[in-house]
């Protein structure tokens, strides 16, 4: 009779270990999902930043008259009325992939927008950049990834 009681305690212990293992597995899966989602948002941030950079360069290059200028607000990139031909330098205002909102920090020269960056203080995974994004090397947060006009080969 005593052997039956011992076996019931052993079964209870096995259930506790199984629950602990499932919890550990779920925590690991959650961390992998979070990392994967952040990497995807990081790739999207690089794409969106490049779109804004190219739109700022396009706006500057298409200035009429002798004075070249950057836009005063992001909405100017959507519908440029400065010449007889309406230009759309950007299809839409993209949201910051890291925050999910159109809440970019604008980099200005006087009253004109020359670049932008994210508000996110998360640490980026990507650490090595070349070309137009070379200034991002060593950045400690996405907020340090400044997408500045004039770094794509257009006039600064």
């Amino acid at each position: 009779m005593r052997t039956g009681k011992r076996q019931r305690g052993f079964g209870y212990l096995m259930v506790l270990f199984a629950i602990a293992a499932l919890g550990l597995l779920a925590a690991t899966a959650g961390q992998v999902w979070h990392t994967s989602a952040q990497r995807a948002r990081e790739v999207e941030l690089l794409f969106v930043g490049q779109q804004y950079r190219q739109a700022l360069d396009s706006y500057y290059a298409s200035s009429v008259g002798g004075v070249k200028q950057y836009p005063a607000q992001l909405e100017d990139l959507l519908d440029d009325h400065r010449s007889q031909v309406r230009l759309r330098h950007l299809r839409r205002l993209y949201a910051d992939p890291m925050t999910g909102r159109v809440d970019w920090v604008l980099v200005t020269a006087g009253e004109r927008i020359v670049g932008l960056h994210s508000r996110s203080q998360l640490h980026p995974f990507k650490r090595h950049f070349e070309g137009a994004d070379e200034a991002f090397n060593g950045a400690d947060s996405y907020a340090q990834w400044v997408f500045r006009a004039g770094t794509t080969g257009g006039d600064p």
Side-chain angles (χ1 to χ4, degrees):
M1 290 253 176
R2 291 184 182 192
T3 59
K5 289 183 181 179
R6 284 186 186 168
Q7 288 178 351
R8 279 189 259 158
F10 182 73
Y12 179 69
L13 189 60
M14 290 301 289
V15 168
L16 286 177
F17 281 130
I19 290 173
L22 285 174
L24 186 61
L25 183 64
T28 302
Q31 183 64 35
V32 168
W33 176 84
H34 176 67
T35 300
S36 177
Q38 183 176 339
R39 285 185 189 272
R41 288 192 312 271
E42 183 175 287
V43 168
E44 187 177 355
L45 175 62
L46 289 169
F47 170 78
V48 169
Q50 183 63 25
Q51 295 301 303
Y52 275 109
R53 182 186 286 150
Q54 289 173 349
L56 289 168
D57 287 340
S58 174
Y59 187 94
Y60 183 86
S62 65
S63 297
V64 293
V67 179
K68 293 200 178 271
Q69 61 185 357
Y70 289 106
Q73 57 187 5
L74 289 179
E75 288 77 10
D76 294 343
L77 298 172
L78 299 176
D79 199 9
D80 185 357
H81 294 286
R82 296 177 298 162
S83 67
Q84 296 294 337
V85 179
R86 289 175 58 184
L87 296 174
R88 292 177 55 96
H89 304 284
L90 198 62
R91 290 179 180 250
R92 63 183 173 99
L93 293 181
Y94 292 98
D96 176 353
M98 305 314 288
T99 65
R101 297 182 304 269
V102 183
D103 62 346
W104 299 97
V105 176
L106 302 178
V107 178
T108 58
E111 297 291 319
R112 301 296 177 166
I113 300 169
V114 296
L116 49 75
H117 63 84
S118 176
R119 293 183 184 280
S120 176
Q121 294 299 320
L122 291 175
H123 296 288
F125 288 107
K126 186 169 182 175
R127 300 304 244 169
H128 180 72
F129 297 89
E130 295 177 356
D133 296 335
E134 193 170 13
F136 300 169
N137 288 332
D140 292 326
S141 72
Y142 295 115
Q144 294 176 343
W145 288 9
V146 179
F147 297 95
R148 185 177 295 276
T151 56
T152 58
D155 294 329

